[in-house]
PDB file of all heavy atoms in Angstrom:
ATOM      1  N   LEU A 132      69.519  78.694 105.294  1.00  0.00           N
ATOM      2  CA  LEU A 132      70.019  78.529 106.656  1.00  0.00           C
ATOM      3  C   LEU A 132      69.910  79.793 107.509  1.00  0.00           C
ATOM      4  O   LEU A 132      70.200  79.755 108.696  1.00  0.00           O
ATOM      5  CB  LEU A 132      71.479  78.052 106.623  1.00  0.00           C
ATOM      6  CG  LEU A 132      71.710  76.685 105.976  1.00  0.00           C
ATOM      7  CD1 LEU A 132      73.196  76.375 105.901  1.00  0.00           C
ATOM      8  CD2 LEU A 132      70.968  75.599 106.738  1.00  0.00           C
ATOM      9  N   GLN A 133      69.550  80.902 106.876  1.00  0.00           N
ATOM     10  CA  GLN A 133      69.383  82.175 107.576  1.00  0.00           C
ATOM     11  C   GLN A 133      70.674  82.630 108.280  1.00  0.00           C
ATOM     12  O   GLN A 133      70.637  83.188 109.368  1.00  0.00           O
ATOM     13  CB  GLN A 133      68.243  82.079 108.594  1.00  0.00           C
ATOM     14  CG  GLN A 133      66.957  81.489 108.049  1.00  0.00           C
ATOM     15  CD  GLN A 133      65.998  82.537 107.566  1.00  0.00           C
ATOM     16  OE1 GLN A 133      65.631  83.393 108.326  1.00  0.00           O
ATOM     17  NE2 GLN A 133      65.611  82.454 106.314  1.00  0.00           N
ATOM     18  N   ILE A 134      71.804  82.384 107.637  1.00  0.00           N
ATOM     19  CA  ILE A 134      73.103  82.797 108.170  1.00  0.00           C
ATOM     20  C   ILE A 134      73.369  84.219 107.691  1.00  0.00           C
ATOM     21  O   ILE A 134      73.219  84.511 106.505  1.00  0.00           O
ATOM     22  CB  ILE A 134      74.230  81.858 107.678  1.00  0.00           C
ATOM     23  CG1 ILE A 134      73.987  80.438 108.165  1.00  0.00           C
ATOM     24  CG2 ILE A 134      75.595  82.355 108.140  1.00  0.00           C
ATOM     25  CD1 ILE A 134      74.931  79.413 107.580  1.00  0.00           C
ATOM     26  N   PRO A 135      73.778  85.131 108.577  1.00  0.00           N
ATOM     27  CA  PRO A 135      74.106  86.493 108.131  1.00  0.00           C
ATOM     28  C   PRO A 135      75.237  86.475 107.099  1.00  0.00           C
ATOM     29  O   PRO A 135      76.184  85.699 107.210  1.00  0.00           O
ATOM     30  CB  PRO A 135      74.554  87.200 109.408  1.00  0.00           C
ATOM     31  CG  PRO A 135      74.008  86.383 110.521  1.00  0.00           C
ATOM     32  CD  PRO A 135      73.927  84.975 110.022  1.00  0.00           C
ATOM     33  N   VAL A 136      75.130  87.351 106.124  1.00  0.00           N
ATOM     34  CA  VAL A 136      76.088  87.396 105.024  1.00  0.00           C
ATOM     35  C   VAL A 136      77.320  88.222 105.370  1.00  0.00           C
ATOM     36  O   VAL A 136      78.434  87.911 104.935  1.00  0.00           O
ATOM     37  CB  VAL A 136      75.385  87.971 103.762  1.00  0.00           C
ATOM     38  CG1 VAL A 136      76.365  88.200 102.637  1.00  0.00           C
ATOM     39  CG2 VAL A 136      74.262  87.058 103.319  1.00  0.00           C
ATOM     40  N   TYR A 137      77.141  89.264 106.188  1.00  0.00           N
ATOM     41  CA  TYR A 137      78.225  90.228 106.404  1.00  0.00           C
ATOM     42  C   TYR A 137      79.529  89.654 106.963  1.00  0.00           C
ATOM     43  O   TYR A 137      80.602  90.119 106.585  1.00  0.00           O
ATOM     44  CB  TYR A 137      77.743  91.412 107.255  1.00  0.00           C
ATOM     45  CG  TYR A 137      77.530  91.109 108.710  1.00  0.00           C
ATOM     46  CD1 TYR A 137      78.569  91.244 109.618  1.00  0.00           C
ATOM     47  CD2 TYR A 137      76.302  90.683 109.185  1.00  0.00           C
ATOM     48  CE1 TYR A 137      78.391  90.966 110.951  1.00  0.00           C
ATOM     49  CE2 TYR A 137      76.107  90.410 110.515  1.00  0.00           C
ATOM     50  CZ  TYR A 137      77.149  90.547 111.398  1.00  0.00           C
ATOM     51  OH  TYR A 137      76.963  90.268 112.719  1.00  0.00           O
ATOM     52  N   PRO A 138      79.517  88.636 107.839  1.00  0.00           N
ATOM     53  CA  PRO A 138      80.816  88.136 108.323  1.00  0.00           C
ATOM     54  C   PRO A 138      81.688  87.560 107.201  1.00  0.00           C
ATOM     55  O   PRO A 138      82.906  87.707 107.218  1.00  0.00           O
ATOM     56  CB  PRO A 138      80.451  87.047 109.327  1.00  0.00           C
ATOM     57  CG  PRO A 138      79.057  87.320 109.732  1.00  0.00           C
ATOM     58  CD  PRO A 138      78.423  87.959 108.539  1.00  0.00           C
ATOM     59  N   PHE A 139      81.045  86.955 106.228  1.00  0.00           N
ATOM     60  CA  PHE A 139      81.804  86.338 105.140  1.00  0.00           C
ATOM     61  C   PHE A 139      82.341  87.392 104.173  1.00  0.00           C
ATOM     62  O   PHE A 139      83.429  87.233 103.631  1.00  0.00           O
ATOM     63  CB  PHE A 139      80.937  85.298 104.432  1.00  0.00           C
ATOM     64  CG  PHE A 139      80.540  84.190 105.361  1.00  0.00           C
ATOM     65  CD1 PHE A 139      79.314  84.224 106.019  1.00  0.00           C
ATOM     66  CD2 PHE A 139      81.400  83.144 105.623  1.00  0.00           C
ATOM     67  CE1 PHE A 139      78.961  83.227 106.904  1.00  0.00           C
ATOM     68  CE2 PHE A 139      81.056  82.143 106.506  1.00  0.00           C
ATOM     69  CZ  PHE A 139      79.828  82.188 107.151  1.00  0.00           C
ATOM     70  N   ILE A 140      81.591  88.457 103.999  1.00  0.00           N
ATOM     71  CA  ILE A 140      82.102  89.561 103.183  1.00  0.00           C
ATOM     72  C   ILE A 140      83.254  90.238 103.923  1.00  0.00           C
ATOM     73  O   ILE A 140      84.250  90.631 103.308  1.00  0.00           O
ATOM     74  CB  ILE A 140      80.975  90.557 102.847  1.00  0.00           C
ATOM     75  CG1 ILE A 140      79.863  89.848 102.074  1.00  0.00           C
ATOM     76  CG2 ILE A 140      81.522  91.721 102.029  1.00  0.00           C
ATOM     77  CD1 ILE A 140      78.620  90.679 101.883  1.00  0.00           C
ATOM     78  N   PHE A 141      83.143  90.326 105.242  1.00  0.00           N
ATOM     79  CA  PHE A 141      84.250  90.896 106.020  1.00  0.00           C
ATOM     80  C   PHE A 141      85.503  90.035 105.918  1.00  0.00           C
ATOM     81  O   PHE A 141      86.618  90.551 105.887  1.00  0.00           O
ATOM     82  CB  PHE A 141      83.843  91.076 107.487  1.00  0.00           C
ATOM     83  CG  PHE A 141      84.939  91.670 108.317  1.00  0.00           C
ATOM     84  CD1 PHE A 141      85.286  93.005 108.170  1.00  0.00           C
ATOM     85  CD2 PHE A 141      85.649  90.896 109.219  1.00  0.00           C
ATOM     86  CE1 PHE A 141      86.317  93.561 108.913  1.00  0.00           C
ATOM     87  CE2 PHE A 141      86.673  91.437 109.968  1.00  0.00           C
ATOM     88  CZ  PHE A 141      87.006  92.781 109.818  1.00  0.00           C
ATOM     89  N   LEU A 142      85.325  88.720 105.827  1.00  0.00           N
ATOM     90  CA  LEU A 142      86.481  87.841 105.668  1.00  0.00           C
ATOM     91  C   LEU A 142      87.185  88.075 104.333  1.00  0.00           C
ATOM     92  O   LEU A 142      88.396  87.888 104.227  1.00  0.00           O
ATOM     93  CB  LEU A 142      86.073  86.375 105.821  1.00  0.00           C
ATOM     94  CG  LEU A 142      85.685  85.965 107.250  1.00  0.00           C
ATOM     95  CD1 LEU A 142      85.182  84.533 107.278  1.00  0.00           C
ATOM     96  CD2 LEU A 142      86.832  86.162 108.219  1.00  0.00           C
ATOM     97  N   VAL A 143      86.440  88.512 103.328  1.00  0.00           N
ATOM     98  CA  VAL A 143      87.069  88.920 102.068  1.00  0.00           C
ATOM     99  C   VAL A 143      87.962  90.132 102.330  1.00  0.00           C
ATOM    100  O   VAL A 143      89.090  90.210 101.828  1.00  0.00           O
ATOM    101  CB  VAL A 143      86.012  89.238 100.990  1.00  0.00           C
ATOM    102  CG1 VAL A 143      86.663  89.849  99.758  1.00  0.00           C
ATOM    103  CG2 VAL A 143      85.232  87.994 100.615  1.00  0.00           C
ATOM    104  N   THR A 144      87.480  91.073 103.145  1.00  0.00           N
ATOM    105  CA  THR A 144      88.282  92.243 103.498  1.00  0.00           C
ATOM    106  C   THR A 144      89.554  91.823 104.224  1.00  0.00           C
ATOM    107  O   THR A 144      90.638  92.345 103.947  1.00  0.00           O
ATOM    108  CB  THR A 144      87.460  93.213 104.379  1.00  0.00           C
ATOM    109  OG1 THR A 144      86.231  93.519 103.721  1.00  0.00           O
ATOM    110  CG2 THR A 144      88.223  94.481 104.660  1.00  0.00           C
ATOM    111  N   VAL A 145      89.431  90.882 105.138  1.00  0.00           N
ATOM    112  CA  VAL A 145      90.605  90.379 105.866  1.00  0.00           C
ATOM    113  C   VAL A 145      91.595  89.732 104.895  1.00  0.00           C
ATOM    114  O   VAL A 145      92.802  89.991 104.947  1.00  0.00           O
ATOM    115  CB  VAL A 145      90.182  89.373 106.967  1.00  0.00           C
ATOM    116  CG1 VAL A 145      91.387  88.664 107.562  1.00  0.00           C
ATOM    117  CG2 VAL A 145      89.375  90.072 108.043  1.00  0.00           C
ATOM    118  N   GLY A 146      91.082  88.900 104.003  1.00  0.00           N
ATOM    119  CA  GLY A 146      91.942  88.251 103.019  1.00  0.00           C
ATOM    120  C   GLY A 146      92.622  89.259 102.100  1.00  0.00           C
ATOM    121  O   GLY A 146      93.822  89.151 101.822  1.00  0.00           O
ATOM    122  N   MET A 147      91.874  90.253 101.652  1.00  0.00           N
ATOM    123  CA  MET A 147      92.450  91.281 100.780  1.00  0.00           C
ATOM    124  C   MET A 147      93.454  92.151 101.542  1.00  0.00           C
ATOM    125  O   MET A 147      94.474  92.558 100.981  1.00  0.00           O
ATOM    126  CB  MET A 147      91.354  92.170 100.186  1.00  0.00           C
ATOM    127  CG  MET A 147      90.491  91.508  99.159  1.00  0.00           C
ATOM    128  SD  MET A 147      91.418  91.025  97.702  1.00  0.00           S
ATOM    129  CE  MET A 147      91.210  89.285  97.768  1.00  0.00           C
ATOM    130  N   GLY A 148      93.175  92.419 102.807  1.00  0.00           N
ATOM    131  CA  GLY A 148      94.117  93.187 103.627  1.00  0.00           C
ATOM    132  C   GLY A 148      95.431  92.453 103.784  1.00  0.00           C
ATOM    133  O   GLY A 148      96.514  93.049 103.675  1.00  0.00           O
TER     134      GLY A 148
END
Side-chain angles (χ1 to χ4, degrees):
L132 297 175
Q133 311 266 303
I134 298 172
V136 173
Y137 73 89
F139 298 96
I140 300 171
F141 181 72
L142 290 175
V143 172
T144 307
V145 170
M147 289 296 117

